[in-house]
């Protein structure tokens, strides 16, 4: 037989229920969920891992990845916390809801006089009327003022118990139930089925950038997947019957029971170039319908079709056609090549550095940028541009951004071509001066001439002979020596610009003679470069009888600056955009979230519960009636939740009203 001490020891089940239903556990879980929600709001979710590496660096990327912060709402630990929160709140409801319901229904008619006298609000007096008359008058007055009443006869007294606002207890039940309902909705829409299938090895994310038709079956989800959030980009005139779900460093393919066709895409911009609005005309082709469904969607105005929500999420290029001219930058001739391609296409090209790949990535029809300070404008449209990557056989790539039209800067026009080796770096722009015809041809002709060693020797020799003739010098051996020096300096300049010559001098000349040698080299180089530029002008038919005019002189200085920057440019050719045929694409987000309705129900319960808790106040009143000789002893006591001052005023009014009601009879 168990001792009394042993009988008082709670069972393991009781301890577990007390732990799961404890306030401390619920608060800790709620705080954790709140912090996770803040992280999920601040940190953009479900982006390619490469974007996070660029933004945070390799170390913090791995830290955030291991914590699951890139997909917080579908992270295993977050789903476990939600599940525990559901269990904890459900246990709390199970343990406390019955008591609350009973308390709502009870009038507490067995209260003692001593308990009434110990309440914060109490009044006591003697009335001249009998108990029966007072009981009738007091109950009528209380009911008149919104109280429900119940009377009870006891041995030596009569008690009236009254209450109102007792249904505010439902507020606690509704708010706790709302938490459970919201969490259940979150679990339904939290990719829980996908996580379970991945843990069981039934699905595996695809990490390769390949067409959907080549994605293996293990990376496809079933068409009846109950909840998902995917994205797809459709070009104008194109169709798609799938969506892609980003999952860590890979993706899954979600087939749809219908096909989405993009009939037309429209976009408007602010003067700053930022998108103002964009919308898509969609056609839904459903085999279950005889006629297709047409609809227009815009930002915050989705199409809801058969439980699927189709949102206007973004826009992109849809594979615009590009007509390009490839100008050589490392050849002694201007043998250009015409290139017909499109965005998202790749081309294999032969270069002096070996076979490389051109990857065309995007096209923009216009670029609105801050205007130069001397233009008098706030913004300026720099015109169309396209971006591409030049990738070598080792997989290393440089990214380029070329503008189609020359841009005016400080009164002169330049073709801009940006280059960068890393996506997190800003573009370094090569400024190719535009000739009077608005073409880069004069600059490119000069650049090609620099690399034509035979022609450079001829022009250098002619320049030296002419100079010696003007100075009346007769030094045949010196002519050849100066000519060779000029040729060597031009080759050095073509390979590394002015900096290349300085580096060569620093590597071969003693320090005490470097400045003298550099000055001499620069004078000789300037002479031969001027002669080469004059040769280019004469080939264009420019009259040089009066010398080079100011405009052509400025062009010459801009040309030298551009040639000096070519080693940093790192491309064997310059791609000039001649014409284009724009094709736009609409970025759609497609979601199926049956848990959304559950969450809405939860929020409705939450709002009702909060309203009931804060704006419905429970009030209880007791009236003790005890006959004493020819009088009746009356004890009026009351209790109210929250705001004691407010209840004190109300109780005073109740006391005055009840006393008048008893005396008026």
């Amino acid at each position: 037989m168990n001792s009394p001490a042993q009988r008082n020891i709670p069972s393991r089940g009781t301890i577990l229920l007390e732990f799961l239903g404890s306030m401390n556990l619920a608060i800790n879980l709620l705080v954790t969920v709140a912090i996770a929600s803040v992280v999920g709001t601040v940190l953009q979710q479900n982006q390619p891992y490469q974007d996070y590496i660029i933004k945070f660096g390799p170390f913090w990327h791995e830290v955030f990845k291991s914590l699951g912060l890139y997909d917080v709402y579908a992270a295993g630990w977050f789903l476990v916390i939600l599940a525990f929160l559901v269990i904890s709140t459900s246990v709390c409801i199970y343990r406390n809801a019955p008591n609350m319901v009973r308390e709502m229904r009870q009038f507490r008619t067995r209260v003692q006089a001593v308990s009434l006298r110990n309440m914060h609000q109490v009044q006591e007096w003697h009335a001249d009327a009998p108990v029966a008359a007072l009981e009738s008058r007091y109950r009528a007055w209380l009911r008149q003022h919104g109280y429900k009443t119940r009377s009870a006869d006891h041995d030596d007294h009569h008690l009236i118990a009254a209450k109102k606002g007792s249904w505010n207890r439902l507020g606690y039940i509704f708010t706790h139930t709302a938490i459970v309902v919201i969490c259940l909705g979150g679990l339904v829409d939290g990719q829980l089925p996908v996580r379970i299938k991945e843990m069981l090895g039934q699905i595996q994310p695809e990490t390769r950038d390949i067409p959907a038709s080549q994605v293996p079956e293990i990376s496809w989800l079933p068409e009846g997947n109950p909840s998902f959030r995917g994205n797809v980009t459709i070009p104008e005139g194109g169709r798609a019957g799938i969506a892609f779900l980003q999952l860590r460093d890979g993706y899954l393919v979600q087939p749809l029971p219908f096909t989405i066709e993009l009939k037309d895409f429209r976009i408007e911009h602010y003067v700053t170039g930022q998108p103002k609005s964009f919308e898509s005309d969609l056609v839904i082709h459903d085999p279950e319908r005889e006629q297709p469904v047409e609809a227009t969607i815009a930002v915050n105005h989705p199409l809801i079709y058969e439980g699927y929500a189709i949102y206007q999420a973004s826009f992109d290029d849809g594979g615009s056609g590009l007509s390009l001219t490839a100008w050589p930058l490392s050849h002694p001739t201007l043998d250009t090549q015409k290139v017909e391609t499109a965005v998202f296409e790749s081309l294999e090209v032969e270069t002096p550095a070996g076979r490389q790949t051109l990857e065309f990535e995007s096209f923009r029809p216009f670029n609105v940028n801050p205007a130069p300070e001397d233009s008098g404008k706030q913004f300026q449209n720099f015109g169309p541009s396209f971006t591409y990557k030049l990738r070598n056989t080792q997989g290393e790539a440089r990214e380029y951004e070329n503008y189609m039209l020359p841009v005016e800067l400080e009164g002169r026009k330049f073709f801009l071509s940006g280059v960068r080796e890393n996506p997190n770096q800003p573009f370094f722009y090569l400024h190719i001066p535009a000739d009077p015809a608005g073409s880069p041809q004069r600059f490119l002709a000069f650049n090609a001439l620099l690399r034509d060693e035979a022609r450079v020797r001829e022009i250098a020799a002619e320049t030296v002979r002419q100079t010696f003739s003007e100075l009346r010098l007769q030094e045949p051996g010196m002519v050849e020596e100066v000519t060779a020096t000029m040729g060597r300096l031009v080759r050095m300049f073509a390979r590394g610009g002015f900096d290349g010559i300085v580096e060569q001098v620093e590597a071969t000349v003693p320090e005490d003679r470097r400045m003298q040698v550099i000055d001499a080299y620069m004078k000789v180089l300037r002479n031969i470069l001027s002669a080469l530029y004059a040769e280019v002008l004469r080939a264009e038919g420019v009259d040089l009888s009066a010398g080079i005019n100011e405009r052509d002189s400025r062009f010459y200085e801009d040309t030298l600056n551009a040639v000096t920057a070519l080693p940093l440019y790192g491309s064997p050719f310059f791609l000039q955009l001649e014409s284009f045929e724009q094709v736009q694409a609409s970025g759609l987000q497609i979601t199926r979230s049956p848990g959304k309705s559950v969450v809405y129900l939860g929020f409705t319960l939450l709002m009702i519960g909060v309203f009931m808790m804060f704006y419905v106040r429970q009030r209880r009143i007791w009236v003790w009636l005890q006959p004493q000789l020819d009088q009746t002893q009356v004890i009026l006591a009351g209790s109210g939740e929250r705001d004691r001052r407010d209840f004190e005023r109300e109780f005073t009014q109740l006391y005055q009203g009840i006393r008048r009601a008893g005396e008026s009879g």
Side-chain angles (χ1 to χ4, degrees):
M1 186 172 180
N2 293 332
S3 65
Q6 290 175 325
R7 288 196 298 268
N8 292 331
I9 296 176
S11 64
R12 293 181 179 178
T14 302
I15 296 175
L16 179 61
L17 284 178
E18 289 181 356
F19 170 73
L20 292 176
S22 67
M23 179 72 72
N24 290 337
L25 176 62
I27 291 176
N28 289 331
L29 292 174
L30 281 172
V31 170
T32 306
V33 170
I35 294 174
S37 299
V38 171
V39 173
T41 302
V42 174
L43 179 61
Q44 193 173 10
Q45 302 286 285
N46 292 314
Q47 299 299 303
Y49 276 5
Q50 185 62 33
D51 294 352
Y52 293 122
I53 294 174
I54 294 172
K55 189 172 184 178
F56 302 116
F59 174 77
W60 288 110
H61 161 71
E62 290 298 329
V63 173
F64 294 161
K65 176 184 173 182
S66 62
L67 294 175
L69 300 186
Y70 300 144
D71 192 7
V72 171
Y73 304 113
W77 59 266
F78 184 80
L79 297 178
V80 169
I81 290 175
L82 282 185
F84 263 101
L85 186 58
V86 169
I87 296 172
S88 174
T89 310
S90 300
V91 170
C92 184
I93 296 173
Y94 167 77
R95 295 180 61 197
N96 297 304
N99 294 331
M100 289 183 178
V101 173
R102 282 195 296 270
E103 184 182 358
M104 289 169 53
R105 299 175 61 184
Q106 288 178 349
F107 280 83
R108 300 182 186 178
T109 58
R110 295 187 177 276
V111 66
Q112 300 297 317
V114 64
S115 299
L116 297 180
R117 289 190 175 100
N118 287 328
M119 290 185 180
H120 289 288
Q121 303 300 326
V122 60
Q123 293 288 342
E124 187 173 352
W125 72 94
H126 288 81
D128 295 330
V131 171
L134 291 176
E135 189 268 343
S136 177
R137 296 170 193 169
Y138 290 166
R139 288 189 67 180
W141 192 93
L142 287 169
R143 286 195 297 267
Q144 183 181 350
H145 288 79
Y147 282 86
K148 293 181 179 180
T149 64
R150 180 169 295 179
S151 298
D153 287 318
H154 298 279
D155 293 338
D156 60 344
H157 67 278
H158 187 88
L159 185 67
I160 302 173
K163 64 176 183 175
K164 71 175 181 179
S166 59
W167 49 283
N168 89 316
R169 293 297 185 189
L170 290 176
Y172 294 91
I173 298 176
F174 283 178
T175 52
H176 285 70
T177 304
I179 293 174
V180 174
V181 172
I182 292 172
C183 290
L184 288 176
L187 289 171
V188 170
D189 289 345
Q191 296 186 5
L192 186 59
V194 174
R195 294 291 184 182
I196 295 175
K197 288 184 178 181
E198 185 183 14
M199 290 174 58
L200 297 176
Q202 298 177 1
I203 60 172
Q204 180 180 337
E206 177 58 63
T207 58
R208 297 170 297 172
D209 186 11
I210 57 177
S213 59
Q214 300 178 16
V215 175
E217 185 177 353
I218 197 172
S219 299
W220 283 71
L221 294 169
E223 186 177 293
N225 187 20
S227 65
F228 66 87
R229 183 182 299 273
N231 297 275
V232 64
T233 301
I234 307 175
E236 288 179 313
R239 298 187 181 190
I242 58 173
F244 296 94
L245 279 65
Q246 189 71 33
L247 188 62
R248 296 187 300 279
D249 58 341
Y251 60 90
L252 300 171
V253 182
Q254 173 64 60
L256 304 174
F258 50 82
T259 301
I260 306 173
E261 176 186 356
L262 178 62
K263 191 174 181 180
D264 188 31
F265 178 81
R266 296 175 297 277
I267 183 170
E268 295 181 4
H269 294 81
Y270 291 104
V271 294
T272 60
Q274 295 296 322
K276 181 179 181 181
S277 64
F278 46 95
E279 58 185 20
S280 300
D281 293 337
L282 304 181
V283 181
I284 306 297
H285 299 274
D286 191 339
E288 299 295 328
R289 290 178 176 266
E290 295 183 359
Q291 297 294 329
V293 178
E294 297 189 12
T296 298
I297 65 171
V299 178
N300 298 325
H301 294 85
L303 167 64
I304 309 298
Y305 180 78
E306 300 293 338
Y308 295 83
I310 305 174
Y311 295 90
Q312 179 69 74
S314 62
F315 60 91
D316 203 347
D317 192 273
S320 297
L322 306 176
S323 296
L324 309 170
T325 297
W327 298 86
L329 294 177
S330 57
H331 290 178
T333 60
L334 277 184
D335 296 331
T336 61
Q337 291 185 351
K338 297 296 182 182
V339 179
E340 297 293 333
T341 186
V343 176
F344 308 130
E345 288 188 359
S346 299
L347 297 175
E348 297 289 334
V349 293
E350 291 292 343
T351 70
R355 180 175 290 272
Q356 297 190 355
T357 304
L358 277 172
E359 303 171 358
F360 297 93
E361 295 195 322
S362 66
F363 167 78
R364 298 181 64 179
F366 62 91
N367 294 268
V368 178
N369 297 316
E373 295 181 359
D374 57 352
S375 66
K377 301 178 181 179
Q378 187 175 4
F379 298 99
Q380 179 179 345
N381 182 13
F382 284 8
S385 68
F386 69 100
T387 61
Y388 65 96
K389 286 183 178 178
L390 185 61
R391 190 179 303 276
N392 60 25
T393 54
Q394 287 76 39
E396 300 170 336
R398 287 190 173 193
E399 184 180 4
Y400 294 85
E401 180 183 55
N402 289 9
Y403 286 82
M404 178 180 183
L405 304 175
V407 177
E408 184 172 345
L409 300 172
E410 299 180 356
R412 306 188 303 279
K413 292 187 176 182
F414 299 88
F415 287 92
L416 300 182
S417 180
V419 59
R420 61 183 179 185
E421 296 183 354
N422 195 306
N424 62 347
Q425 295 177 344
F427 280 105
F428 158 76
Y429 282 94
L430 175 67
H431 291 66
I432 297 177
D435 58 29
S439 165
Q441 186 164 354
R442 177 185 291 182
F443 164 79
L444 294 166
F446 178 81
N447 178 68
L449 183 57
L450 290 177
R451 288 159 174 78
D452 189 345
E453 296 185 8
R455 188 69 182 125
V456 168
R457 279 196 303 270
E458 293 177 3
I459 297 174
E462 179 63 28
T463 301
V464 172
R465 284 193 294 269
Q466 183 177 352
T467 302
F468 277 30
S469 175
E470 293 174 357
L471 297 175
R472 296 181 181 180
L473 297 176
Q474 300 294 329
E475 298 290 342
M478 185 175 293
V479 171
E480 294 179 359
E481 182 180 348
V482 174
T483 299
T485 300
M486 283 185 170
R488 186 172 68 255
L489 290 175
V490 169
R491 288 193 298 273
M492 293 169 57
F493 178 73
R495 288 195 302 268
F498 291 115
D499 292 338
I501 294 176
V502 173
E503 292 174 0
Q504 179 66 23
V505 171
E506 290 177 348
T508 58
V509 177
E511 185 175 357
D512 58 341
R513 296 185 57 236
R514 286 176 185 172
M515 292 303 301
Q516 181 181 359
V517 173
I518 289 175
D519 289 341
Y521 277 3
M522 290 302 176
K523 290 178 182 178
V524 174
L525 180 62
R526 285 281 182 177
N527 287 335
I528 183 58
L529 292 179
S530 298
L532 295 176
Y533 181 61
E535 179 68 16
V536 172
L537 295 180
R538 279 191 288 267
E540 289 183 12
V542 177
D543 184 9
L544 299 180
S545 58
I548 300 176
N549 60 38
E550 182 180 355
R551 184 186 65 179
D552 291 339
S553 295
R554 285 188 301 176
F555 185 95
Y556 170 65
E557 294 298 330
D558 293 333
T559 295
L560 295 184
N561 292 334
V563 172
T564 300
L566 281 180
L568 298 176
Y569 188 63
S571 175
F573 45 75
F574 166 65
L575 290 180
Q576 183 183 13
L577 179 60
E578 301 288 353
S579 62
F580 60 87
E581 183 178 353
Q582 186 185 12
V583 178
Q584 293 181 314
S586 178
L588 306 178
Q589 184 179 85
I590 305 171
T591 66
R592 190 181 187 187
S593 50
K596 178 177 64 176
S597 300
V598 178
V599 172
Y600 287 163
L601 173 62
F603 275 110
T604 302
L605 290 174
L606 183 63
M607 289 187 291
I608 294 174
V610 169
F611 176 84
M612 294 174 68
M613 285 194 302
F614 284 95
Y615 296 100
V616 178
R617 295 179 175 86
Q618 179 175 257
R619 302 285 191 255
R620 286 186 179 271
I621 300 295
W622 290 271
V623 184
W624 176 287
L625 302 174
Q626 184 173 4
Q628 291 182 352
L629 300 177
D630 57 347
Q631 289 184 322
T632 301
Q633 181 186 13
V634 182
I635 302 175
L636 175 68
S639 66
E641 293 184 347
R642 297 188 305 273
D643 200 349
R644 291 187 175 181
R645 292 184 178 180
D646 182 65
F647 179 66
E648 182 179 353
R649 290 192 295 269
E650 181 179 347
F651 183 81
T652 301
Q653 295 174 359
L654 284 173
Y655 163 66
Q656 296 171 353
I658 285 179
R659 189 150 189 179
R660 285 195 302 270
E663 295 172 353
S664 63

Short mmCIF file of all heavy atoms in Angstrom, two decimals, residues 16 51 57 59 80 198 240 375-376 436 441 446 469 488 632 637 654:
data_model
loop_
_atom_site.label_atom_id
_atom_site.label_comp_id
_atom_site.label_asym_id
_atom_site.label_seq_id
_atom_site.Cartn_x
_atom_site.Cartn_y
_atom_site.Cartn_z
N LEU A 16 4.70 15.97 -17.71
CA LEU A 16 4.84 16.34 -19.12
C LEU A 16 3.78 17.35 -19.54
O LEU A 16 4.08 18.33 -20.24
CB LEU A 16 4.75 15.09 -19.99
CG LEU A 16 4.87 15.30 -21.50
CD1 LEU A 16 6.23 15.91 -21.84
CD2 LEU A 16 4.68 13.98 -22.24
N ASP A 51 24.23 34.56 -54.79
CA ASP A 51 23.87 35.91 -54.37
C ASP A 51 24.23 36.13 -52.90
O ASP A 51 24.72 37.22 -52.53
CB ASP A 51 22.38 36.16 -54.58
CG ASP A 51 21.99 36.14 -56.06
OD1 ASP A 51 22.91 36.09 -56.90
OD2 ASP A 51 20.78 36.18 -56.35
N GLY A 57 29.83 37.05 -48.05
CA GLY A 57 31.14 36.42 -48.02
C GLY A 57 31.03 34.93 -47.70
O GLY A 57 30.03 34.48 -47.15
N PHE A 59 32.45 32.92 -45.45
CA PHE A 59 32.34 32.47 -44.06
C PHE A 59 30.92 32.62 -43.53
O PHE A 59 30.30 31.65 -43.06
CB PHE A 59 33.31 33.25 -43.17
CG PHE A 59 33.16 32.94 -41.71
CD1 PHE A 59 33.68 31.77 -41.18
CD2 PHE A 59 32.48 33.82 -40.86
CE1 PHE A 59 33.53 31.47 -39.83
CE2 PHE A 59 32.33 33.53 -39.51
CZ PHE A 59 32.86 32.35 -39.00
N VAL A 80 9.77 22.54 -36.41
CA VAL A 80 9.71 21.85 -35.13
C VAL A 80 9.20 22.80 -34.04
O VAL A 80 8.37 22.42 -33.19
CB VAL A 80 11.10 21.28 -34.75
CG1 VAL A 80 11.11 20.80 -33.31
CG2 VAL A 80 11.47 20.15 -35.69
N GLU A 198 12.06 14.76 -49.05
CA GLU A 198 13.49 14.90 -49.21
C GLU A 198 14.23 14.07 -48.16
O GLU A 198 15.25 13.42 -48.46
CB GLU A 198 13.89 16.37 -49.09
CG GLU A 198 15.37 16.62 -49.38
CD GLU A 198 15.76 18.06 -49.20
OE1 GLU A 198 14.96 18.83 -48.61
OE2 GLU A 198 16.86 18.43 -49.64
N ALA A 240 4.16 28.24 -70.54
CA ALA A 240 4.82 27.44 -69.51
C ALA A 240 3.76 26.66 -68.75
O ALA A 240 2.70 27.20 -68.42
CB ALA A 240 5.63 28.31 -68.56
N SER A 375 25.15 69.50 -67.82
CA SER A 375 24.11 69.32 -68.84
C SER A 375 22.85 70.10 -68.54
O SER A 375 22.01 70.30 -69.42
CB SER A 375 23.77 67.83 -68.98
OG SER A 375 23.17 67.35 -67.79
N GLY A 376 22.67 70.52 -67.28
CA GLY A 376 21.46 71.24 -66.91
C GLY A 376 20.26 70.32 -66.71
O GLY A 376 19.15 70.79 -66.50
N PRO A 436 33.62 62.21 -85.70
CA PRO A 436 32.56 63.13 -86.16
C PRO A 436 31.37 62.43 -86.78
O PRO A 436 30.26 62.97 -86.78
CB PRO A 436 33.29 64.01 -87.19
CG PRO A 436 34.71 64.00 -86.73
CD PRO A 436 34.94 62.64 -86.19
N GLN A 441 35.05 54.15 -85.37
CA GLN A 441 35.99 53.66 -86.39
C GLN A 441 37.32 54.38 -86.34
O GLN A 441 38.37 53.75 -86.52
CB GLN A 441 35.37 53.78 -87.77
CG GLN A 441 36.22 53.15 -88.86
CD GLN A 441 35.45 52.92 -90.14
OE1 GLN A 441 34.25 53.14 -90.19
NE2 GLN A 441 36.14 52.49 -91.17
N PHE A 446 43.11 53.85 -85.47
CA PHE A 446 44.35 54.23 -84.82
C PHE A 446 44.91 53.08 -84.00
O PHE A 446 46.12 52.80 -84.04
CB PHE A 446 44.10 55.46 -83.94
CG PHE A 446 45.31 55.92 -83.19
CD1 PHE A 446 46.28 56.70 -83.80
CD2 PHE A 446 45.49 55.57 -81.85
CE1 PHE A 446 47.41 57.12 -83.10
CE2 PHE A 446 46.61 55.98 -81.15
CZ PHE A 446 47.57 56.76 -81.78
N SER A 469 65.91 66.17 -91.75
CA SER A 469 66.05 67.09 -92.89
C SER A 469 65.81 68.51 -92.44
O SER A 469 66.52 69.43 -92.86
CB SER A 469 65.09 66.69 -94.00
OG SER A 469 65.12 67.62 -95.05
N ARG A 488 59.87 50.33 -81.18
CA ARG A 488 59.84 49.60 -79.91
C ARG A 488 58.93 50.30 -78.90
O ARG A 488 58.16 49.64 -78.18
CB ARG A 488 61.26 49.51 -79.35
CG ARG A 488 61.35 48.63 -78.10
CD ARG A 488 62.78 48.38 -77.67
NE ARG A 488 63.42 49.60 -77.19
CZ ARG A 488 64.31 50.30 -77.87
NH1 ARG A 488 64.68 49.90 -79.09
NH2 ARG A 488 64.86 51.39 -77.36
N THR A 632 -33.59 44.85 7.31
CA THR A 632 -32.81 43.87 6.54
C THR A 632 -31.38 44.39 6.38
O THR A 632 -31.16 45.52 5.92
CB THR A 632 -33.42 43.65 5.14
OG1 THR A 632 -34.76 43.18 5.30
CG2 THR A 632 -32.60 42.64 4.35
N ALA A 637 -21.26 43.92 -2.53
CA ALA A 637 -19.83 43.74 -2.84
C ALA A 637 -19.68 43.45 -4.33
O ALA A 637 -20.59 42.93 -4.98
CB ALA A 637 -19.23 42.62 -2.01
N LEU A 654 -23.49 51.89 -8.94
CA LEU A 654 -24.35 50.74 -8.63
C LEU A 654 -24.89 50.85 -7.20
O LEU A 654 -26.09 50.61 -6.94
CB LEU A 654 -23.54 49.45 -8.77
CG LEU A 654 -23.27 48.94 -10.18
CD1 LEU A 654 -22.31 47.75 -10.12
CD2 LEU A 654 -24.56 48.53 -10.87
#
